[in-house]
Amino acid sequence: MKLSNNVYLLLSFIALSLSYTLGIEIPEKFQKSNHTNNWAVLVDTSRFWFNYRHVANVLSIYRSVKRLGIPDSQIILMISDDMACNPRNPRPATIFNNAHEQINVYGDDVEVDYRGYEVSVENFVRLLTGRVPPDTPRSKRLLTDEGSNILIYLTGHGGDGFLKFQDSEEVTSQELADALEQMWQKKRYNEIFFIIDTCQASSMYEKFYSPNILATASSLVGEDSLSHHVDSAIGVYIIDRYTYYVLEFLENVHPNSKRTMSEFLAVCPKSACLSTVGVRRDLFNRDPSKVPITDFFGSVRPVVITTDPIDIQEIPKRKKKIENKTKVQEKREYLPQFPMHLVQTT
Amino acid sequence: MGLLSDPEYGSVKWVKVLRRVHRPLCFLCYVASLVWFVMLGNREFNNETYFSENALLPGLVTNEFNGEYAAKQYYNEFLQELKDKYEDTDEIPVPWLVGKMSQLHLEVYTHNFTLDYPLGEGQVYKGTNVYGILRAARTSSLEALVVTAPYRPLFSHQKGTTAGIALMLAFAQFAKPQKYWAKDIIFLITEHEQLGMQAWLEAYHGLHSDTETFQTSLGSFWKPGTSGLNFEKFIPGFDFGATHKKCLNPGTLKGRSGSIQAAINLELHTPQIKYIEVKVEGLNGQLPNLDLVNLVHKLCVKSGIHHSYKNSYSWIRTRDKMEEWTNNLWTMLGMVSTQLDGVPNGNHGLFHRFGIEAVTLEGRDASDPAGAPPKVNALNTANFYRLGAALESILRSLNNLLERFHQSYFFYLLAATNRFISIGQYMPSLCLLCVAMLLRALSLWVSIQQDVWEEDKQTDKQDKKTKEKPSDSDTGDDETKQLVDRKKKVTKDKHSDSESELPGDVKPKEVVKEVKRKKKEEANFSVVSIGANYLLVHLIGYAVMNSPILFTYIGAKYFSQPSEVSVYFGLVAVSILLILITPYLPRILRKGPITYEEMCLVNILLLIEMATLCLTVGMHNFPLGLAIAVLYTPVALVVEVVTKQGGRKSSILVALKCLLCLTAQPMFTLTFAMVLYSRVLFPEEGLMAMMGRGRDAAMQATMFSVADSLIYGNWLFNMTTSVLLPAWIIFWQILCNKVDAMA
């Protein structure tokens, strides 16, 4: 993490010097935001051939976030079953998202971090809260910090207040809410965008109580999330409706596009989804219509390299940061992303 | 036991009510049961079928079957081969089949088996099965599906299966290059109908004739190696016990695949069939999982093939509720009659015992021996393309299975191709019949108890008039006592002028005294003698169960009769012998005369035994349980202990009861049913011819049930002889032994 911090520090200095020397205006949102890096946790909780669509769902999102700039090292992909190599798959080593088989979401370089029976409630909660065994490899850790925006995407079979993992266990909405609170207290995120595509999906975010979470779900309590269509060549339901339309939307998003989160939240109207997409905004401080979609789906920022020296002024005393509502003893702090106090602003 | 030994027992309200109303109540139960069964046919009382198993994904995949031409070619070649070389032999054309399968690059094996026919003079039948395994390319061979067809020679009286075999080969050709198989597919052609199938299954599952496995213990109640009746002592050279275990020698298989998940049996005589009959009934009435049955019906619809089950035809959907009801009822009755004898109606039936779900698809056309359904001529004929497509989609759906069928129902009745009745819905019908018997048993029990209690009370009154009442009696005791006494007087008065219908009722005082005197003279309640009689009768049943081989031996040696004649007449002779002898058995076992209570106790035991039998049999094979219950509940309710004190009217009644009981004798029932059946089939024949036909049919039926019991493990014969026959004997004993009435 230190490394990435340094990278960001460097980046910020570069940007800083840029603004200083060339007099480029740094956007206010950019200045004030604590957002420094992006992570994604993408989970498919169900196994078996007839749940092909859930794997297609999660790989669709994976494909999009990767394309929009989150590197594999910051994507934790959990997939319960290997559909591409299932002997029943008439198109071996591929997973498609629609019957025309245009997009092979399995692609060429999928890095699955947790697979098969590793996808369990315990591993999921440990991953989120960072309480992993010391010998856990880096690829299986969620190394987020105070400045991380995390995209959490879950798909599988759910019910009112729970999400089934494999065929043996469930995570309840309360457990999930507690895990997120723990993350907040441990300063493991800046903002979270939570997407869930299951039956009765909205029940999963109803218990959340930690700040800075924007949540959306494919269906309300009492509704089923439906599959989009069958691929009769493969002989399975190929993708779920919500994720199908999400992918359709994301395919037209580029790292530079100005799409906002509110557009994303309206991606699947009831006429298309057949279920009502649920959104929870009350924990989220910002207005989704002003949040660019790349805040959660991408992490590429424009970078301009300068060769001019940077003149750093005297360093004033740091202001004490405002305490969290949760009143936890703070051990460490990060510097504000842009040390604006060091720079003469125009 | 607190309730049963309660001194105030006789005066408890429900006991009185029970004693008064148990007869109408039992009758009501009986009628209610039949009404319930009839109601099950109604749309409101049965359910639409549905899929429970998610993994099946039925019909989602496009059909790619393109083997129509190949199937036609195989069909013609196979027919030509049979005409050229197998015209007058019943041998299976092994070289041709092996050749064709090898050309398809299947792993081809042959399997030899031997049957030492148990009921003959050492006839030995040999047979050969041919099977080819298509290995799933991308998995290990842990699971398998089976496509099978019985081989039938050209001159067989049954419809041929050549089209089925041709289709199977064409399908194998189509399936071989496909890369989506997650399970091996075994293509199996069996000889000698069910015998070959049974041998192959036993060999596949590693059951050998000499090992003590569930097969041998299921096959008969005789376990090889157990000491029991050793007839060799009596008849030297007669191998009794060994015949049970060496009946069918399944041999060994040279090649195996994994555990079989499901099997489809094809009986198609021609590709130009009109419709497919889906046969489900297996050994001992076992059924395949309802999911598989639904799957087959649904995929027939999808592939454009007409399909049917019994009286329910997919192309006829009536809107008239009454008509639908009667159709459903006929379908249910058809299913009941097929399951009743426990004989599988196709090769699929033998799979069920191994936990493998299987159905038979039988092709039928307008001129089928099963009768022509309405509007059959208007139907389009099927062809190899459609049949192949149906087979393909069924197998691809089965290929998706992740575990054995376990979701849907295993116990059900089908009311139509798309309607079913679950075990929870049909069991009340059987339970009501058993409740009738148990109610009768309970009322008998309380009547004995009350008699004893009343007696005690009288002695109490005489002896301990001055003594104090028991300390635990409450203040109301006196009043109740008086009340009961008064009531007793009333009943006595009522019964003194008219003779009693209920022997358990209170009798005139003199009789009471006499009985009491007797009772004091001897310990007149001997459980041992009842028990001994009970045990002996059941031992007789056990002996009868094991007798057919002996009869065959005797018949062949001394009368040179064929096995079926000797078995049938042997059993008839035994029946007559038992009718004559068994009434004296309890008297032999007992020194003094049998008392009323003892007889009552026997009756109670018997009723409980019958109810248990019906319920346990019904749990496994509902139609059989129901049939036994429907037939024997009236007998069980009518039979009661006969007292010497009865008048002329009661003796006529007893004679009628005896007659009823005789008609319920298993052997008699069978013969009678067969005579009736032949009357229905051939109404033009005279009485004697009809009787002859009926006798022959009964002979055949007996022989089949014995042979099935020995070879396949059908327990109809075992159950009838070892439980039903003893029960009947005890009914007969109760009716034929007059006892002294008592209070």
Side-chain angles (χ1 to χ4, degrees):
Chain A
M1 203 54 238
K2 232 173 216 170
L3 186 75
S4 71
N5 277 344
N6 289 342
V7 168
Y8 277 98
L9 210 62
L10 191 70
L11 272 177
S12 50
F13 274 116
I14 292 166
L16 186 71
S17 59
L18 211 73
S19 71
Y20 183 65
T21 51
L22 302 176
I24 291 173
E25 187 84 21
I26 298 170
E28 191 159 341
K29 261 186 274 173
F30 204 75
Q31 292 174 21
K32 283 184 180 171
S33 158
N34 277 335
H35 172 206
T36 60
N37 57 70
N38 275 74
W39 283 76
V41 178
L42 313 176
V43 189
D44 153 53
T45 65
S46 52
R47 62 193 297 118
F48 304 137
W49 175 241
F50 59 91
N51 290 322
Y52 183 98
R53 60 184 187 279
H54 294 147
V55 178
N57 286 346
V58 81
L59 285 174
S60 298
I61 304 293
Y62 173 81
R63 169 192 164 83
S64 300
V65 294
K66 203 168 159 185
R67 192 173 52 77
L68 291 172
I70 304 182
D72 256 332
S73 59
Q74 293 183 23
I75 302 174
I76 308 292
L77 182 59
M78 304 175 98
I79 295 185
S80 297
D81 205 348
D82 184 5
M83 292 308 165
C85 298
N86 192 306
R88 295 167 183 84
N89 193 343
R91 310 272 184 279
T94 57
I95 293 172
F96 292 103
N97 77 315
N98 70 11
H100 302 302
E101 301 183 3
Q102 281 156 348
I103 304 175
N104 173 15
V105 289
Y106 198 62
D108 301 322
D109 51 350
V110 176
E111 275 186 34
V112 183
D113 301 304
Y114 287 80
R115 59 181 186 156
Y117 289 112
E118 288 172 353
V119 183
S120 63
V121 173
E122 183 184 340
N123 280 352
F124 177 59
V125 173
R126 280 186 183 280
L127 175 84
L128 290 183
T129 55
R131 295 172 185 274
V132 287
D135 55 346
T136 311
R138 200 188 153 85
S139 65
K140 292 189 175 185
R141 289 170 185 252
L142 186 66
L143 298 168
T144 53
D145 56 43
E146 221 178 14
S148 305
N149 275 12
I150 309 176
L151 169 74
I152 298 179
Y153 175 88
L154 301 175
T155 183
H157 289 285
D160 191 355
F162 68 89
L163 169 66
K164 197 169 82 164
F165 268 68
Q166 314 262 358
D167 249 8
S168 49
E169 50 182 359
E170 297 100 28
V171 63
T172 62
S173 52
Q174 188 63 53
E175 282 166 353
L176 192 60
D178 290 344
L180 294 180
E181 174 61 19
Q182 218 178 111
M183 287 176 78
W184 175 247
Q185 293 189 7
K186 292 174 80 178
K187 296 189 180 303
R188 286 176 61 78
Y189 71 84
N190 174 47
E191 282 173 332
I192 285 180
F193 182 39
F194 180 85
I195 313 175
I196 180 161
D197 185 353
T198 69
C199 293
Q200 319 210 30
S202 72
S203 64
M204 283 305 284
Y205 63 57
E206 278 170 356
K207 293 271 169 65
F208 288 179
Y209 55 94
S210 316
N212 295 351
I213 299 177
L214 179 63
T216 181
S218 64
S219 55
L220 298 181
V221 174
E223 284 180 339
D224 284 346
S225 245
L226 300 167
S227 63
H228 190 261
H229 64 279
V230 170
D231 182 349
S232 58
I234 302 177
V236 286
Y237 296 99
I238 200 137
I239 198 166
D240 280 324
R241 282 180 173 268
Y242 178 73
T243 308
Y244 179 81
Y245 290 106
V246 165
L247 180 65
E248 200 176 62
F249 172 78
L250 289 176
E251 283 295 299
N252 296 318
V253 174
H254 302 290
N256 296 322
S257 53
K258 303 252 183 276
R259 301 288 186 106
T260 62
M261 286 308 290
S262 61
E263 279 179 78
F264 182 88
L265 295 177
V267 77
C268 196
K270 186 150 190 188
S271 58
C273 256
L274 305 181
S275 55
T276 323
V277 172
V279 180
R280 184 162 175 197
R281 293 190 183 85
D282 59 333
L283 297 169
F284 197 62
N285 286 328
R286 298 194 279 164
D287 179 6
S289 64
K290 287 178 183 158
V291 179
I293 201 161
T294 44
D295 267 14
F296 292 102
F297 286 88
S299 65
V300 178
R301 298 181 172 204
V303 172
V304 181
I305 297 166
T306 175
T307 50
D308 297 334
I310 304 164
D311 180 25
I312 296 178
Q313 297 175 327
E314 39 114 26
I315 298 169
K317 274 189 180 174
R318 247 194 286 145
K319 268 199 293 180
K320 186 91 178 169
K321 237 198 128 185
I322 316 145
E323 287 235 328
N324 278 336
K325 284 174 197 168
T326 46
K327 289 173 190 169
V328 174
Q329 273 198 327
E330 284 173 282
K331 286 177 185 167
R332 280 194 234 158
E333 273 189 9
Y334 294 97
L335 287 172
Q337 190 188 5
F338 278 90
M340 294 305 291
H341 54 280
L342 299 178
V343 184
Q344 281 181 332
T345 44
T346 49
Chain B
M1 284 308 285
L3 179 73
L4 299 184
S5 56
D6 182 7
E8 296 298 324
Y9 189 59
S11 60
V12 177
K13 198 174 179 189
W14 68 265
V15 172
K16 287 185 207 153
V17 173
L18 179 70
R19 290 191 59 184
R20 205 167 333 119
V21 302
H22 80 271
R23 270 166 199 280
L25 206 59
C26 289
F27 181 71
L28 204 68
C29 280
Y30 190 80
V31 174
S33 152
L34 297 182
V35 170
W36 186 290
F37 185 80
V38 172
M39 289 309 286
L40 288 177
N42 193 308
R43 203 178 174 79
E44 304 295 321
F45 291 82
N46 52 36
N47 318 87
E48 179 93 36
T49 53
Y50 60 94
F51 286 102
S52 281
E53 175 63 271
N54 281 323
L56 280 173
L57 302 171
L60 291 193
V61 79
T62 352
N63 288 323
E64 292 163 353
F65 180 73
N66 53 10
E68 191 186 4
Y69 177 71
K72 270 182 197 157
Q73 212 166 17
Y74 280 127
Y75 181 57
N76 293 334
E77 268 183 56
F78 192 41
L79 278 181
Q80 195 58 47
E81 174 83 7
L82 290 183
K83 272 176 197 153
D84 289 351
K85 299 180 191 163
Y86 298 90
E87 183 82 76
D88 45 2
T89 164
D90 66 343
E91 257 179 72
I92 177 169
V94 175
W96 191 85
L97 290 169
V98 169
K100 289 295 165 193
M101 283 188 177
S102 303
Q103 277 176 17
L104 298 174
H105 303 290
L106 303 177
E107 275 185 46
V108 194
Y109 302 99
T110 55
H111 163 231
N112 297 318
F113 59 92
T114 326
L115 173 75
D116 291 327
Y117 191 56
L119 297 170
E121 291 128 85
Q123 292 107 315
V124 173
Y125 297 91
K126 285 185 194 303
T128 308
N129 297 327
V130 180
Y131 64 102
I133 304 174
L134 188 163
R135 297 284 179 191
R138 287 160 65 196
T139 46
S140 48
S141 295
L142 292 177
E143 294 175 347
L145 302 171
V146 173
V147 181
T148 171
Y151 167 74
R152 286 172 189 160
L154 285 180
F155 56 82
S156 163
H157 62 280
Q158 283 171 296
K159 289 187 295 184
T161 55
T162 37
I165 293 170
L167 180 68
M168 187 199 286
L169 289 172
F171 182 77
Q173 189 181 29
F174 158 77
K176 179 67 188 168
Q178 307 301 332
K179 50 185 174 252
Y180 45 67
W181 297 117
K183 298 169 174 37
D184 290 357
I185 305 178
I186 304 174
F187 298 95
L188 167 67
I189 295 151
T190 59
E191 201 184 359
H192 298 317
E193 296 292 322
Q194 295 176 7
L195 202 59
M197 195 75 245
Q198 173 84 356
W200 189 83
L201 279 170
E202 287 187 4
Y204 193 88
H205 292 95
L207 303 180
H208 300 296
S209 52
D210 49 345
T211 51
E212 185 187 323
T213 56
F214 85 106
Q215 172 252 334
T216 39
S217 49
L218 255 184
S220 66
F221 293 171
W222 184 279
K223 279 187 201 165
T226 48
S227 59
L229 299 170
N230 192 354
F231 281 84
E232 269 180 74
K233 276 184 211 160
F234 309 115
I235 312 162
F238 175 70
D239 193 11
F240 185 80
T243 40
H244 282 271
K245 59 177 178 181
K246 279 187 187 163
C247 230
L248 179 63
N249 182 1
T252 49
L253 292 189
K254 295 181 203 99
R256 272 185 97 252
S257 176
S259 102
I260 300 172
Q261 308 275 304
I264 304 290
N265 183 36
L266 300 171
E267 290 180 6
L268 308 170
H269 58 293
T270 160
Q272 278 85 37
I273 55 159
K274 288 284 188 188
Y275 66 102
I276 275 182
E277 165 85 4
V278 181
K279 298 197 285 191
V280 297
E281 297 88 352
L283 187 69
N284 291 325
Q286 221 176 332
L287 296 169
N289 192 291
L290 190 56
D291 268 338
L292 179 64
V293 182
N294 290 348
L295 182 77
V296 170
H297 282 300
K298 178 166 179 181
L299 294 179
C300 277
V301 174
K302 194 171 168 274
S303 314
I305 293 175
H306 302 289
H307 55 106
S308 70
Y309 180 74
K310 308 286 180 204
N311 215 37
S312 163
Y313 305 102
S314 65
W315 61 96
I316 299 170
R317 287 281 178 254
T318 174
R319 292 197 177 169
D320 181 17
K321 282 194 172 170
M322 271 320 281
E323 200 183 327
E324 192 197 359
W325 191 353
T326 39
N327 270 345
N328 285 357
L329 205 60
W330 278 114
T331 306
M332 283 160 65
L333 287 174
M335 187 168 182
V336 164
S337 63
T338 321
Q339 270 183 284
L340 198 61
D341 53 7
V343 180
N345 62 349
N347 273 359
H348 65 277
L350 298 167
F351 281 94
H352 301 161
R353 199 165 57 126
F354 296 88
I356 302 164
E357 310 313 315
V359 292
T360 289
L361 308 184
E362 186 198 339
R364 287 187 179 171
D365 46 27
S367 60
D368 195 83
K375 297 184 200 164
V376 69
N377 287 316
L379 298 180
N380 293 327
T381 51
N383 51 37
F384 271 131
Y385 173 70
R386 283 190 194 161
L387 291 169
L391 187 61
E392 184 206 349
S393 27
I394 291 171
L395 284 174
R396 279 205 76 175
S397 199
L398 293 174
N399 184 44
N400 287 337
L401 274 183
L402 295 157
E403 36 194 331
R404 282 170 185 278
F405 280 103
H406 61 285
Q407 296 266 11
S408 195
Y409 295 92
F410 283 95
F411 297 95
Y412 53 87
L413 280 178
L414 288 170
T417 53
N418 58 349
R419 312 282 309 175
F420 80 102
I421 297 143
S422 75
I423 183 168
Q425 289 163 312
Y426 67 61
M427 272 316 261
S429 173
L430 177 59
C431 288
L432 278 170
L433 291 173
C434 297
V435 162
M437 288 193 260
L438 292 175
L439 266 179
R440 168 96 180 120
L442 187 63
S443 78
L444 275 177
W445 175 254
V446 296
S447 67
I448 304 182
Q449 289 298 107
Q450 195 173 34
D451 296 341
V452 173
W453 172 76
E454 276 170 3
E455 248 177 75
D456 289 351
K457 199 136 196 180
Q458 281 184 357
T459 39
D460 270 6
K461 262 200 279 183
Q462 287 161 6
D463 301 345
K464 305 170 187 174
K465 231 172 195 173
T466 51
K467 280 185 184 175
E468 272 186 18
K469 282 176 218 158
S471 55
D472 59 341
S473 65
D474 51 28
T475 45
D477 201 24
D478 228 334
E479 282 173 31
T480 29
K481 209 170 192 179
Q482 283 171 359
L483 218 128
V484 169
D485 283 353
R486 210 186 308 147
K487 194 150 203 176
K488 205 162 62 186
K489 240 175 239 168
V490 174
T491 31
K492 266 181 205 164
D493 293 341
K494 213 164 57 179
H495 280 276
S496 52
D497 46 359
S498 70
E499 66 202 5
S500 84
E501 284 281 315
L502 299 171
D505 271 0
V506 187
K507 291 281 157 198
K509 226 171 196 171
E510 306 85 65
V511 183
V512 174
K513 275 179 185 169
E514 194 190 357
V515 170
K516 238 169 32 183
R517 190 169 48 74
K518 267 188 190 168
K519 196 178 177 183
K520 274 172 191 166
E521 281 167 4
E522 56 188 34
N524 65 346
F525 194 78
S526 165
V527 180
V528 176
S529 75
I530 303 171
N533 177 45
Y534 218 80
L535 190 68
L536 189 67
V537 167
H538 281 79
L539 278 178
I540 291 173
Y542 184 78
V544 172
M545 181 182 90
N546 286 304
S547 63
I549 293 169
L550 187 69
F551 291 142
T552 308
Y553 178 77
I554 294 171
K557 192 164 185 186
Y558 301 105
F559 306 100
S560 57
Q561 289 290 329
S563 177
E564 53 188 43
V565 176
S566 36
V567 169
Y568 179 72
F569 284 107
L571 287 176
V572 167
V574 165
S575 300
I576 292 169
L577 201 68
L578 287 177
I579 289 171
L580 295 179
I581 287 177
T582 47
Y584 300 102
L585 271 182
R587 293 185 203 176
I588 296 167
L589 290 168
R590 178 107 167 81
K591 274 180 192 165
I594 308 151
T595 63
Y596 176 77
E597 282 160 317
E598 282 174 352
M599 264 324 192
C600 258
L601 198 64
V602 169
N603 201 350
I604 291 166
L605 272 180
L606 182 60
L607 285 164
I608 293 173
E609 189 188 351
M610 280 306 288
T612 316
L613 172 75
C614 292
L615 273 178
T616 43
V617 168
M619 282 299 288
H620 288 90
N621 185 357
F622 172 73
L624 184 58
L626 187 74
I628 296 173
V630 167
L631 207 65
Y632 282 89
T633 306
V635 181
L637 293 181
V638 160
V639 167
E640 62 186 359
V641 182
V642 184
T643 51
K644 281 176 183 163
Q645 280 75 21
R648 187 187 174 77
K649 199 171 154 194
S650 89
S651 62
I652 292 171
L653 207 62
V654 168
L656 279 176
K657 285 176 182 175
C658 283
L659 204 65
L660 179 69
C661 195
L662 274 179
T663 54
Q665 209 274 344
M667 221 38 213
F668 182 85
T669 314
L670 173 75
T671 313
F672 186 68
M674 284 304 159
V675 169
L676 268 188
Y677 186 60
S678 58
R679 176 75 190 167
V680 172
L681 283 188
F682 309 98
E684 69 283 351
E685 285 188 14
L687 191 70
M688 284 320 285
M690 186 177 86
M691 298 287 274
R693 235 178 229 289
R695 190 202 58 218
D696 290 348
M699 246 182 235
Q700 290 280 335
T702 319
M703 197 57 198
F704 278 139
S705 68
V706 173
D708 278 359
S709 149
L710 290 172
I711 298 169
Y712 300 109
N714 185 335
W715 38 252
L716 178 70
F717 178 73
N718 299 347
M719 193 274 302
T720 313
T721 48
S722 66
V723 190
L724 203 56
L725 184 69
W728 181 84
I729 292 174
I730 295 171
F731 279 132
W732 184 243
Q733 285 179 341
I734 292 172
L735 279 180
C736 291
N737 280 302
K738 285 190 177 178
V739 295
D740 289 320
M742 66 154 288

